[in-house]
Amino acid sequence: MIIIAVIVVILLTVGIVWAIDKFIPSKFKAPISILLWIGIFALGYLTFNSVYDEIKFHNIKQERYAAVIEKLVDIRDSELAYKEVNGKFTGDYSELIKFIETGKFAIIERRDSTVLDEEKTKAYGGIVYNKEITIVDTLDFVSVKDSLFKKSTRYKSMMNIPFTKEGTKFALKAGTAGEEGKELPVFEALAWKKDILHDQPKDLIKKEENAFSVEEINGDAIKIGSMEEVKVNGNWPKVYDPIKK
């Protein structure tokens, strides 16, 4: 739209200059030319500002989205750890933080072995039958906090959305999804774009909420996980994927 507007302005200017030269008497050309140049500079200024505002908004948006996504990935990693130990996700930040600080992963070793299949041996009149089994040994336990965050304490504030008004948190839900009797644990954490960009021009925020492109974060929110289907990935393109710490 901006490019089209610039082209229209250029064509309009050329047309006005041609019309002045052809139809306006010489004595009126000078003042009209001055007014025309003032108009051209004004249009140029407005066009430049329009382009610059979009560029500035794009840069601000990318910076803020990257910070938001880093937090969502921390929430996702914490939720997956919680599920590994508890068999489900949680929608409670206090419970999740407590788990990070006190929870432990079991370090296990799996090994295959062969043992006597007593039922089959008995059923076949004493003919010896063996069966394969997997033996699981617990070797040790490690801290969830050390595994996920090492010495960092960023997990304590991972629920707070960067660049938003104070107290704005990621919406967090947990539950199950799937057919009855085959339900699986799911979770979802999200931040609304209008909250992340609350201090930016309203028209650009509205445009961003309607974004639809493989290079953009589509829709009006940035989220990870889903309450409708079993998935733990986010809705952003790979260009926003944070560098692993």
Side-chain angles (χ1 to χ4, degrees), residues 112-217:
D112 295 328
S113 182
T114 303
V115 297
L116 177 67
D117 189 333
E118 295 182 0
E119 289 187 8
K120 198 170 182 180
T121 298
K122 184 178 180 181
Y124 285 89
I127 300 174
V128 176
Y129 284 91
N130 293 321
K131 62 181 178 180
E132 298 286 334
I133 63 169
T134 299
I135 299 174
V136 180
D137 295 322
T138 300
L139 304 179
D140 200 359
F141 291 90
V142 294
S143 164
V144 170
K145 179 182 177 299
D146 290 343
S147 297
L148 296 182
F149 299 100
K150 298 181 173 60
K151 295 182 180 180
S152 174
T153 60
R154 68 182 187 275
Y155 67 90
K156 293 182 179 180
S157 60
M158 64 184 176
M159 72 291 297
N160 299 322
I161 307 175
F163 301 103
T164 59
K165 294 178 181 178
E166 186 175 355
T168 307
K169 302 181 186 299
F170 291 100
L172 181 64
K173 297 179 182 178
T176 59
E179 298 178 14
E180 186 175 352
K182 298 180 180 179
E183 296 94 342
L184 292 172
V186 293
F187 85 97
E188 180 181 88
L190 68 80
W192 300 108
K193 288 180 177 179
K194 64 182 179 181
D195 291 334
I196 302 167
L197 303 167
H198 66 95
D199 55 353
Q200 298 302 300
K202 302 301 180 186
D203 59 323
L204 295 180
I205 294 175
K206 196 67 179 176
K207 182 179 177 181
E208 175 61 22
E209 288 180 322
N210 294 317
F212 186 79
S213 167
V214 294
E215 298 177 351
E216 297 290 344
I217 301 175

Side-chain angles (χ1 to χ4, degrees), residues 173 176-179 186-188 223 225-231:
K173 297 179 182 178
T176 59
E179 298 178 14
V186 293
F187 85 97
E188 180 181 88
K223 61 183 178 179
S226 171
M227 293 303 293
E228 285 75 42
E229 54 184 317
V230 180
K231 67 176 186 178

